[in-house]
Amino acid sequence: MLDNPQKASAVRAEIRSDWTVDEVEALMRLPLLELVGQASNLHRCHHSADDIQKASLLSIKTGGCPEDCAYCPQSAHHKEVDLDKEKLMNPKHVISLAKRAQQAGAERFCMGAAWRKVRDGQEFDNVLEMVRGVNDLGMEACVTLGMLQPHQAEALAEAGLKAYNHNLDTSPEFYGEIIGTRTYQDRLETLSYCRDAGLDLCCGGIIGMGESWRDRASMLQVLANFDPHPESVPINALIATKGTPLEHREKVQAFDLLRMIATARIVMPKTRVRLSAGRSDFSTAEQALCFLAGANSVFYGDVLLTAPNAGTGDDRDMFAALGSLTDA
């Protein structure tokens, strides 16, 4: 915590939606320990240090997506990816898996369908049934289904959806290098429809796709200038999947991810910053630094849609190590 109460109050009140890219980049380029120290102090002004939300993620419809996202193994454009396509899952089965995740310690259940956009009809009705079932368990329900229309966002809200995930992925400037089948404005419109319907926004991006530090700052600047800020911001490290155009990208370094987490915390003080895809490549100590810098949510479970995640057993060991010391 900050030693000076007046300074702490001033920091707590500093919630802005007018960041410039230059300001965000300047933060990101601070000496690492200074950056982490600022982020850690600010984090403790708005959050409990030991509050780390566990969110489980399930692919409810896998593969065959018509989008051409260069990072995604579910794209139908990437013919060399070894991935079995699966139709939309049965709602009752999804709800049973949500209950199992809850029993394992998950507080939020996120469901993803590899669609370009939502179409009205039986499949969307099935998703609404899934949302109602997860909500009835007492878990936060989140979905990612591609682009929405306003009436669909309203239907999800009426079913009890807590949050809609729709990532920006990268900066407006670098976006065209990664995706050609959907515009940046398409993403912003869906997010606007969700906000108008009263849904929380879960919106972040991916690093390690070949973007510059300026691009990373630009993506955070867009997010930080939402008013209000997104309630959840996932920071993903690219998982370079064989058969995708980005299969040869080098792994993200832990300190690069740490800078993203810390900067996101400073520019969006009240947001849950989620340590997301790629964290299975980082040690417990490296992940602990991310929590110190302001990450306060993780995806919890062995699989992230189609990519590997840190195992539940490993996570239990990590959270035990991060807890209070007790005698054996």
Side-chain angles (χ1 to χ4, degrees), residues 306-326:
T306 62
N309 189 38
T312 302
D314 291 338
D315 277 346
R316 289 196 187 109
D317 291 343
M318 177 177 72
F319 288 120
L322 294 177
S324 300
L325 184 63
T326 58

Side-chain angles (χ1 to χ4, degrees), residues 153-154 157 161-163 192-201 231:
E154 292 166 5
L161 189 72
K162 173 68 174 172
S192 177
Y193 299 151
C194 291
R195 184 60 88 194
D196 290 345
L199 295 171
D200 286 358
L201 301 186
E231 284 74 15

Side-chain angles (χ1 to χ4, degrees), residues 34-57:
E34 172 64 20
L35 175 62
V36 171
Q38 287 191 28
S40 184
N41 284 335
L42 189 56
H43 179 70
R44 281 151 181 77
C45 287
H46 296 279
H47 306 272
S48 297
D50 59 353
D51 175 20
I52 302 174
Q53 184 192 61
K54 301 179 185 70
S56 180
L57 179 60

Side-chain angles (χ1 to χ4, degrees), residues 91-263:
K92 288 184 173 56
H93 182 50
V94 170
I95 295 165
S96 71
L97 293 175
K99 188 172 183 178
R100 186 184 305 172
Q102 184 182 44
Q103 291 169 344
E107 306 151 54
R108 183 174 184 143
F109 195 72
C110 308
M111 298 163 277
W115 293 333
R116 169 176 165 76
K117 62 182 179 180
V118 172
R119 292 184 172 85
D120 295 324
Q122 187 59 55
E123 287 194 322
F124 184 48
D125 291 343
N126 286 350
V127 172
L128 295 176
E129 183 180 343
M130 296 173 196
V131 170
R132 286 189 287 267
V134 171
N135 195 48
D136 287 345
L137 292 174
M139 302 182 78
E140 292 184 2
C142 175
V143 297
T144 177
L145 310 171
M147 292 182 287
L148 291 176
Q149 293 301 311
H151 72 280
Q152 295 163 337
E154 292 166 5
L156 287 164
E158 290 171 4
L161 189 72
K162 173 68 174 172
Y164 195 82
N165 168 254
H166 201 61
N167 289 332
L168 296 179
D169 289 340
T170 188
S171 69
E173 298 81 8
F174 190 68
Y175 184 83
E177 300 295 319
I178 301 300
I179 300 159
T181 51
R182 178 193 319 195
T183 69
Y184 215 77
Q185 186 59 37
D186 288 335
R187 293 180 183 269
L188 295 175
E189 285 181 358
T190 288
L191 291 166
S192 177
Y193 299 151
C194 291
R195 184 60 88 194
D196 290 345
L199 295 171
D200 286 358
L201 301 186
C202 178
C203 183
I206 308 168
I207 65 171
M209 298 189 293
E211 75 287 342
S212 67
W213 281 105
R214 181 75 173 181
D215 289 317
R216 295 173 183 180
S218 178
M219 181 189 73
L220 290 182
Q221 186 256 358
V222 174
L223 293 169
N225 285 359
F226 286 4
D227 188 10
H229 294 157
E231 284 74 15
S232 174
V233 170
I235 303 295
N236 299 277
L238 176 70
I239 298 175
T241 304
K242 185 177 180 180
T244 65
L246 301 183
E247 67 174 306
H248 298 301
R249 296 299 312 176
E250 294 183 2
K251 287 186 178 181
V252 171
Q253 298 300 304
F255 286 169
D256 290 354
L257 182 65
L258 183 60
R259 285 186 183 276
M260 284 294 293
I261 295 287
T263 306

